[in-house]
Amino acid sequence: MISFPRLESWNNLTKMATVVAQVDRKRVLCRISYESLRAKFGASDDKFMQSVAQHRTDIQEAARRLIEQDDYEADGSVLIQTSDLQ
């Protein structure tokens, strides 16, 4: 079972937003880059997390598909690319 608690953060060094998925009692970090937020949702330079909140459902669905496909990064996280967003 996959659920998404409202845990999100922004990393200014990597320019990535992270949302958390709960997968069978384990946390999986699901990351999406500034470039993807801007390309897909038109996120402005100072409103990254507002864009994540506005498009939470789309981001979570992309993360869910990647998790179900076992498409994990070496560190166990999931990287959501622009092409993963519908």
Side-chain angles (χ1 to χ4, degrees), residues 10-17 32-37 48:
W10 176 256
N11 184 323
N12 211 31
L13 293 175
T14 62
K15 303 288 189 215
M16 296 199 128
I32 183 168
S33 71
Y34 157 74
E35 290 86 7
S36 290
L37 289 170
F48 308 115

Side-chain angles (χ1 to χ4, degrees), residues 56-68:
R56 180 178 284 116
T57 302
D58 294 328
I59 293 167
Q60 289 174 348
E61 283 306 310
R64 182 183 308 278
R65 282 190 301 278
L66 291 168
I67 291 166
E68 288 172 346

Side-chain angles (χ1 to χ4, degrees), residues 4-11 16-21 27-32 48-57 59-60:
F4 293 90
R6 293 212 181 237
L7 296 173
E8 335 176 303
S9 65
W10 176 256
N11 184 323
M16 296 199 128
T18 300
V19 296
V20 174
R27 285 189 177 174
V28 175
L29 302 180
C30 306
R31 297 188 171 101
I32 183 168
F48 308 115
M49 292 310 291
Q50 183 177 3
S51 182
V52 170
Q54 287 175 331
H55 302 285
R56 180 178 284 116
T57 302
I59 293 167
Q60 289 174 348

Side-chain angles (χ1 to χ4, degrees), residues 3 12 17 22 24 31 34 38 44 58-59 68 71 74 81 85:
S3 63
N12 211 31
Q22 192 80 22
D24 298 327
R31 297 188 171 101
Y34 157 74
R38 203 167 108 193
S44 64
D58 294 328
I59 293 167
E68 288 172 346
D71 193 356
Q81 310 269 349
L85 299 162

